Amino acid sequence: MQLSKAWILFSIFALILAGFLSLFIMLGRTPYINEWMFGTEWMRRILVVHVNLALTVSFYAFITGLFLVIPSSQTHVNKRQLISFGLALAGTLVITISGFIPIGEPILSNYVPVINQPFFIGGLCLFAISLIFTFFDERLLPGINKYQQKSFSHYPISIIPILQSAGIILIIGLLNFLHAFVVTPLELSQNVYFELMLWGGGHVLQFTNMAAATAIWGLLFYTTTQKHFVRYRTSFLLFVLYTLPLCFTPFLFIEGTTVPLYITGFTYYMQWGIFPVITVVIVIVITKMIKNRNYFKLSTLLSNPAYAGLVWSIFLTISGFMLGAMIRGSNTMIPAHYHATLGAVTIAFMAGAYKLMMFYGYPSPSQKRKRQEAVQIFLFGIGQTIFVSGLAVAGTYGLARKVFGEEQLILSAEIYFGLGLLLIGGLTAIIGGILFLRNILRYLMGSE
């Protein structure tokens, strides 16, 4: 439990650091204000570090913490687990520092942007190795009997197959990165090289993110109702169906990474592989919430953080699916789609973190604290929704993605309006992130 707690807290502080850096990114997109910034190259460097802290370090550290709560025969922390945690800390420190070293070009490749310098790449590799060391573990093996023998007060066994699915898919994604590294031609330009090398694994990791968010939905539903949203066997079957297709991703590398099979294959995997099972889960959760509406009253939305987290996470997931279907060309509708989806994952993790604090032995919060936690989630959800709306509006009227400052071609009042929404929503979400840190620090300091 102490190691799980360490990974969760590590994840939280990485997310807060990423949120702090996002302030500079928003200012770099804001008309007039961006003229005071340090230049587009510096902005891209900070953007790379921000994305990796928020979507790589924070997400997979949190998933690791969840994974380590799955029962196993181990009764103490072994040396391999300690080494893996140390590697994760070292890799994250290197990633952060590298953003302030003016060496290497920032490459805004999809899913995993990089800075083309050995320092940054080495930090990413250290973090990836730490995940491999942790997830190659007996916890990946199914077996309801061994779980039924354990006592869970805050951790339903119905989410264990979902977490195992997330772990297996994470390993598949990392192996895809390695495979792409081996077969991608070095003579390509650095932009094309990194885009191709990171394309396949980056798509696979989105399956991991949504599986982890779904597991948190099960946790939030359980802590609110003391009921499982699905049976263990149903959960197991659904996420076997979710995971199994990804075992065939190596076939997309048959002709290398420079052919349409590789590019379109992974695109179709994400387009058609995530939403069927996740949509089934959403329908099940909403149906169960209606059946248990005594626990899910509108009047308690701002007093129950688990309820608030469940609602906002599902809402943003559905929004992300809808925005993804609306993508036409390379504009800010694309980041609107993934900020909605990844915002849904972030909110799930925030609400889940509050519940895990009790699992780690911290006292249950007072009703006042619960209201503050629910308001924090509500504020972050509102901010993320406005932020996503701004990106969607600007993208609808043709604003290109991955441009900042003078590079932005603002050709209409609608784009100005969208960028205004982006700033308002982003600042609101940052306030929500700061309040999240405050709430977590209260648990750690034992204060009310």
Side-chain angles (χ1 to χ4, degrees), residues 155-280:
Y155 210 79
I157 64 171
S158 56
I159 71 172
I160 291 177
I162 311 177
L163 291 173
Q164 290 169 329
S165 168
I168 291 169
I169 296 171
L170 178 58
I171 292 172
I172 292 173
L174 294 176
L175 292 177
N176 277 327
F177 286 132
L178 179 61
H179 196 165
F181 171 74
V182 172
V183 302
T184 303
L186 291 173
E187 60 268 19
L188 296 170
S189 69
Q190 60 180 359
N191 286 313
V192 175
Y193 174 79
F194 283 109
E195 184 70 31
L196 292 176
M197 190 183 74
L198 300 167
W199 180 265
H203 279 73
V204 171
L205 291 183
Q206 307 317 304
F207 286 76
T208 299
N209 296 337
M210 281 311 308
T214 304
I216 296 293
W217 296 347
L219 175 63
L220 299 178
F221 186 90
Y222 182 79
T223 55
T224 301
T225 65
Q226 294 301 302
K227 298 177 183 180
H228 298 274
F229 77 109
V230 291
R231 295 181 179 179
Y232 176 91
R233 287 184 174 85
T234 303
S235 174
F236 180 82
L237 177 60
L238 281 172
F239 281 86
V240 166
L241 295 174
Y242 185 78
T243 307
L244 191 59
L246 296 167
C247 297
F248 297 95
T249 54
F251 291 105
L252 298 178
F253 291 87
I254 289 176
E255 299 178 13
T257 59
T258 59
V259 297
L261 174 65
Y262 174 75
I263 300 296
T264 60
F266 278 105
T267 301
Y268 288 146
Y269 253 105
M270 196 177 73
Q271 284 179 341
W272 303 104
I274 293 179
F275 87 89
V277 170
I278 301 302
T279 300
V280 169

Side-chain angles (χ1 to χ4, degrees), residues 23-286:
L23 178 62
F24 294 97
I25 297 167
M26 286 183 299
L27 293 176
R29 274 195 176 274
T30 304
Y32 307 116
I33 296 178
N34 58 41
E35 297 174 4
W36 304 339
M37 304 305 291
F38 298 98
T40 56
E41 190 76 4
W42 186 83
M43 289 302 307
R44 285 194 175 94
R45 202 177 296 278
I46 295 300
L47 177 62
V48 169
V49 176
H50 160 77
V51 171
N52 279 278
L53 287 175
L55 305 183
T56 302
V57 175
S58 180
F59 273 27
Y60 303 117
F62 198 97
I63 294 169
T64 303
L66 290 172
F67 178 77
L68 289 171
V69 184
I70 296 176
S72 75
S73 60
Q74 300 173 23
T75 57
H76 62 280
V77 176
N78 59 41
K79 185 180 294 186
R80 174 177 57 85
Q81 292 169 332
L82 287 176
I83 291 173
S84 67
F85 185 68
L87 288 174
L89 291 176
T92 302
L93 180 62
V94 170
I95 288 170
T96 304
I97 293 174
S98 65
F100 299 91
I101 299 176
I103 300 174
E105 181 180 346
I107 309 295
L108 301 184
S109 47
N110 287 291
Y111 300 113
V112 188
V114 298
I115 302 172
N116 189 16
Q117 54 161 270
F119 203 49
F120 180 88
I121 301 298
L124 276 183
C125 290
L126 285 175
F127 187 75
I129 292 169
S130 76
L131 297 177
I132 292 288
F133 279 5
T134 302
F135 279 90
F136 270 113
D137 188 87
E138 67 176 72
R139 291 176 177 86
L140 283 181
L141 301 176
I144 186 173
N145 292 332
K146 64 181 179 181
Y147 303 137
Q148 288 177 329
Q149 296 170 4
K150 302 289 182 177
S151 174
F152 292 92
S153 58
H154 302 289
Y155 210 79
I157 64 171
S158 56
I159 71 172
I160 291 177
I162 311 177
L163 291 173
Q164 290 169 329
S165 168
I168 291 169
I169 296 171
L170 178 58
I171 292 172
I172 292 173
L174 294 176
L175 292 177
N176 277 327
F177 286 132
L178 179 61
H179 196 165
F181 171 74
V182 172
V183 302
T184 303
L186 291 173
E187 60 268 19
L188 296 170
S189 69
Q190 60 180 359
N191 286 313
V192 175
Y193 174 79
F194 283 109
E195 184 70 31
L196 292 176
M197 190 183 74
L198 300 167
W199 180 265
H203 279 73
V204 171
L205 291 183
Q206 307 317 304
F207 286 76
T208 299
N209 296 337
M210 281 311 308
T214 304
I216 296 293
W217 296 347
L219 175 63
L220 299 178
F221 186 90
Y222 182 79
T223 55
T224 301
T225 65
Q226 294 301 302
K227 298 177 183 180
H228 298 274
F229 77 109
V230 291
R231 295 181 179 179
Y232 176 91
R233 287 184 174 85
T234 303
S235 174
F236 180 82
L237 177 60
L238 281 172
F239 281 86
V240 166
L241 295 174
Y242 185 78
T243 307
L244 191 59
L246 296 167
C247 297
F248 297 95
T249 54
F251 291 105
L252 298 178
F253 291 87
I254 289 176
E255 299 178 13
T257 59
T258 59
V259 297
L261 174 65
Y262 174 75
I263 300 296
T264 60
F266 278 105
T267 301
Y268 288 146
Y269 253 105
M270 196 177 73
Q271 284 179 341
W272 303 104
I274 293 179
F275 87 89
V277 170
I278 301 302
T279 300
V280 169
V281 173
I282 288 174
V283 171
I284 291 173
V285 172
I286 293 175

Side-chain angles (χ1 to χ4, degrees), residues 215-414:
I216 296 293
W217 296 347
L219 175 63
L220 299 178
F221 186 90
Y222 182 79
T223 55
T224 301
T225 65
Q226 294 301 302
K227 298 177 183 180
H228 298 274
F229 77 109
V230 291
R231 295 181 179 179
Y232 176 91
R233 287 184 174 85
T234 303
S235 174
F236 180 82
L237 177 60
L238 281 172
F239 281 86
V240 166
L241 295 174
Y242 185 78
T243 307
L244 191 59
L246 296 167
C247 297
F248 297 95
T249 54
F251 291 105
L252 298 178
F253 291 87
I254 289 176
E255 299 178 13
T257 59
T258 59
V259 297
L261 174 65
Y262 174 75
I263 300 296
T264 60
F266 278 105
T267 301
Y268 288 146
Y269 253 105
M270 196 177 73
Q271 284 179 341
W272 303 104
I274 293 179
F275 87 89
V277 170
I278 301 302
T279 300
V280 169
V281 173
I282 288 174
V283 171
I284 291 173
V285 172
I286 293 175
T287 301
K288 290 293 182 70
M289 288 174 70
I290 293 172
K291 288 183 178 179
N292 294 273
R293 51 185 171 272
N294 288 337
Y295 297 98
F296 298 103
K297 298 177 180 178
L298 186 61
S299 59
T300 62
L301 185 60
L302 290 179
S303 60
N304 182 350
Y307 179 18
L310 194 57
V311 169
W312 276 110
S313 185
I314 290 176
F315 169 74
L316 282 171
T317 299
I318 295 171
S319 300
F321 288 167
M322 295 174 63
L323 290 169
M326 295 168 61
I327 292 174
R328 301 291 185 273
S330 182
N331 53 53
T332 56
M333 186 66 77
I334 295 174
H337 154 66
Y338 66 69
H339 274 92
T341 304
L342 296 176
V345 179
T346 302
I347 287 177
F349 286 0
M350 285 178 169
Y354 292 141
K355 297 304 161 187
L356 287 172
M357 291 300 105
M358 289 179 283
F359 189 74
Y360 296 139
Y362 292 101
S364 297
S366 64
Q367 194 57 45
K368 178 182 177 181
R369 283 273 295 276
K370 286 183 178 180
R371 284 196 298 271
Q372 292 173 343
E373 291 170 1
V375 168
Q376 178 271 313
I377 290 172
F378 194 88
L379 191 63
F380 187 88
I382 284 286
Q384 197 72 17
T385 300
I386 297 173
F387 181 84
V388 165
S389 299
L391 286 170
V393 169
T396 300
Y397 288 92
L399 182 65
R401 59 187 299 226
K402 299 182 181 180
V403 292
F404 299 94
E406 296 177 354
E407 296 178 339
Q408 298 184 118
L409 294 177
I410 305 176
L411 303 176
S412 67
E414 289 84 358

